[in-house]
C-alpha cells in the first residue's frame, strides 16, 4: 500500500479561509457615471432663455430711447434758416373809371416778377384777379403799364407808377363812387393794403 502524507490541518485551514475571503471581497472596479439627463438639460436651457428675455427687452428699450434722444437733439441743434424780411415801400392808389393806378412813393425797390395783386370793389373780390406782370389777361384790357407789364425791366422803383384797366367782363365793375381796395405782396410777403374811391373816368 502506498501512503502519501496529508498536509497538516493548519495548512488546509489557511487555504480554505483564503478562498472564502476572495469570494466575499467587494468589487473595487470604478462605477461608470450615469448618462446625462436630456430632460434636465432642456429644462435648464428653457429657464435660461426665460431669464434672458427680460434683459433683452430692457436693452432694446434703452437703445430706442437713446436713438430717439439723438434724433431730437440733432433736430433742435440744426440751425434755422433766417427769414428774409418783407420789403418796405410807401405806395399810393388812385382809380378813375376802369383804370387802377399804383404809384411807388418811397422805400425799397420791388421785384415785379414776385408781385401779387388782389383787387376788391366794395369788399367783394374781382371774379378775375390781375396776373401781374402780364400783357393780356381775361377780365382786363390789354397793355398794363409800368411794373404790371410783362415787358418791364423787373424792378419797381420810387417815383414809378404801374396801372391796369378792368374790363367790362369782370365783376364787380368799378363804378364811380365805389371803394376799390388793392392788396400788394412780394413773394408772399405783404407790402401794402390800399384804398381809394373810384372817380369818373
Amino acid at each position: 500500500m502506498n501512503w502519501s502524507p496529508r498536509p497538516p490541518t493548519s495548512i488546509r485551514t489557511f487555504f480554505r479561509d483564503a478562498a472564502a475571503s476572495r469570494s466575499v471581497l467587494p468589487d473595487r472596479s470604478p462605477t461608470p457615471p450615469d448618462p446625462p439627463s436630456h430632460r434636465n438639460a432642456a429644462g435648464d436651457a428653457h429657464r435660461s432663455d426665460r431669464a434672458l428675455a427680460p434683459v433683452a427687452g430692457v436693452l432694446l428699450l434703452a437703445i430706442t430711447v437713446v436713438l430717439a434722444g439723438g434724433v431730437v437733439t440733432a433736430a433742435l441743434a440744426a440751425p434755422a434758416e433766417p427769414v428774409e424780411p418783407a420789403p418796405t415801400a410807401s405806395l399810393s392808389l388812385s382809380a378813375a373809371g376802369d383804370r387802377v393806378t399804383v404809384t411807388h412813393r418811397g422805400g425799397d425797390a420791388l421785384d415785379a416778377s414776385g408781385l401779387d395783386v388782389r383787387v376788391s370793389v366794395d369788399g367783394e373780390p374781382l371774379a378775375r384777379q390781375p396776373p401781374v406782370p402780364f400783357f393780356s389777361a381775361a377780365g382786363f384790357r390789354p397793355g398794363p403799364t409800368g411794373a404790371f407789364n410783362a415787358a418791364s425791366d423787373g424792378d419797381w422803383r420810387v417815383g414809378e407808377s404801374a396801372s391796369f384797366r378792368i374790363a367790362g367782363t369782370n365783376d364787380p365793375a368799378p363804378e364811380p363812387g365805389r371803394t376799390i381796395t388793392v392788396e400788394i405782396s412780394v413773394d408772399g410777403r405783404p407790402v401794402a393794403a390800399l384804398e381809394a374811391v373810384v372817380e369818373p373816368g
Side-chain angles (χ1 to χ4, degrees):
M1 170 182 286
N2 293 329
W3 178 85
S4 58
R6 298 179 64 185
T9 302
S10 60
I11 296 177
R12 291 199 306 272
T13 303
F14 172 77
F15 284 108
R16 186 173 62 248
D17 295 342
S21 65
R22 281 199 304 271
S23 64
V24 298
L25 287 174
D27 187 5
R28 298 182 181 276
S29 60
T31 303
D34 294 335
S37 173
H38 295 290
R39 181 179 299 175
N40 291 340
D44 292 342
H46 183 64
R47 287 193 298 270
S48 177
D49 291 342
R50 286 190 299 174
L52 288 176
V55 176
V58 171
L59 289 177
L60 288 176
L61 179 60
I63 292 172
T64 302
V65 171
V66 170
L67 291 177
V71 171
V72 172
T73 301
L76 293 177
E81 294 184 3
V83 178
E84 185 178 352
T88 302
S90 175
L91 308 176
S92 65
L93 172 66
S94 64
D98 60 2
R99 181 177 294 275
V100 177
T101 303
V102 181
T103 302
H104 193 316
R105 298 294 182 184
D108 300 326
L110 303 179
D111 181 8
S113 63
L115 285 175
D116 184 70
V117 178
R118 290 291 177 263
V119 181
S120 300
V121 177
D122 286 344
E124 182 179 353
L126 289 179
R128 292 181 176 89
Q129 296 292 335
V132 295
F134 70 100
F135 179 79
S136 178
F140 297 89
R141 298 184 183 277
T145 65
F148 294 159
N149 193 300
S152 65
D153 63 1
D155 285 333
W156 190 6
R157 300 180 181 87
V158 176
E160 297 178 347
S161 295
S163 68
F164 54 81
R165 296 178 67 189
I166 302 173
T169 57
N170 213 335
D171 186 66
E175 297 174 351
R178 306 185 76 173
T179 300
I180 190 166
T181 303
V182 176
E183 296 177 350
I184 298 177
S185 61
V186 177
D187 296 328
R189 294 166 295 172
V191 174
L194 311 171
E195 282 190 358
V197 176
V198 179
E199 303 289 341

